[in-house]
Every structure is written in structure tokens, then in C-alpha cells.
Amino acid sequence: MSAIQLAALARTVQPQRMLRRFLALDAVVTGANALAYLALSGPLGRFLGTGSGLLLGVGAFLAVYAAGVGLLAARPHPPATGVRIVVEANLAWTTVSLAALALWLTPTTAGAVWTVLQALSVAGFALLQHLALRQRQLNQD
């Protein structure tokens, strides 16, 4: 992805703003999922074919994670180490989600589709955050 495409997605050419926007979007989407899993674990569990206990646990984890990513996004200059941790955590989440689907989850069709879509979305966040961090570092040199 070129710097121009990245800037178009972020709606800014400033790498610092780009990075903060991609982190903030990750925090918002993750937080929304967390709230849905926490508030609607029963109905969502039935729809997705997972236990409500699993969704409650995942929702609690995601709420904490979203808060951490949100705090990182709120910093005027998010530290590179923190951003790298978020990128690696997102890649780990993607891997674990797909492995869980293949190895031990037995979701409904909607649950299988949801698992793949959310894994791809999280991988997309990791890519955008990585590219924005790299662009910021290139501009500092």
C-alpha cells in the first residue's frame, strides 16, 4: 500500500495523525464488540454457536484491550513500542481466531463467517497501524 493510499484511508497526509486515527478506530471497533459481547452474550452466543461464558470472557478481555489501545491513540505521540505491541497483539488475535475456528470451535454458519470476518478486520488494523508507524518513522529521518 502506497503512502498516498494510506493517507486517503486516514484522510490525512500527516503520519502522526494517521497512526492515531488507525489506533482510535481499532479502539472504537474493539470496544463496540466488547460491549455487544458483554451485554448480549446469551442471544449472540446462540446466534454464533458459542457459549455465553466464552463471549463474556472475550468481551471482558476486549474491553480492557480497547481501553489500552484508546489510551495509546490519545497520546500526542504514541510510542513506537506500544504501537508494535498492538500490531503484534492484533496479529496474534487473528491467528488464534482462525486456529480456534479450525481446531475447536463448532459455530453456526453465521458464527464461522463472523469469526473469519473479525479476524480479517483485525489483521487489517494491524497492517494499517504497521504502515502508519513505518510512515511516521520515515518522515522523522
Side-chain angles (χ1 to χ4, degrees):
M1 178 174 284
S2 73
I4 293 170
Q5 291 169 319
L6 193 62
L9 277 175
R11 296 178 169 238
T12 181
V13 294
Q14 297 174 348
Q16 184 63 25
R17 230 181 234 167
M18 210 180 291
L19 179 59
R20 292 180 67 212
R21 285 184 180 173
F22 291 139
L23 288 168
L25 182 60
D26 187 355
V28 168
V29 170
T30 301
N33 277 339
L35 291 175
Y37 293 166
L38 291 168
L40 302 169
S41 62
L44 280 176
R46 288 187 293 279
F47 179 69
L48 300 174
T50 61
S52 62
L54 175 63
L55 287 183
L56 283 172
V58 169
F61 172 79
L62 290 178
V64 172
Y65 183 76
V69 175
L71 288 173
L72 190 63
R75 296 189 64 175
H77 189 82
T81 302
V83 175
R84 283 188 200 100
I85 289 170
V86 169
V87 169
E88 290 173 12
N90 282 343
L91 292 174
W93 180 269
T94 298
T95 302
V96 169
S97 294
L98 296 175
L101 183 59
L103 300 174
W104 74 81
L105 290 178
T106 53
T108 61
T109 301
V113 170
W114 175 252
T115 301
V116 171
L117 288 177
Q118 64 82 31
L120 293 175
S121 298
V122 172
F125 282 133
L127 176 64
L128 292 172
Q129 293 156 351
H130 169 75
L131 292 173
L133 177 62
R134 189 172 75 187
Q135 189 67 33
R136 183 181 82 178
Q137 291 169 331
L138 290 173
N139 282 7
Q140 288 175 349
D141 292 336

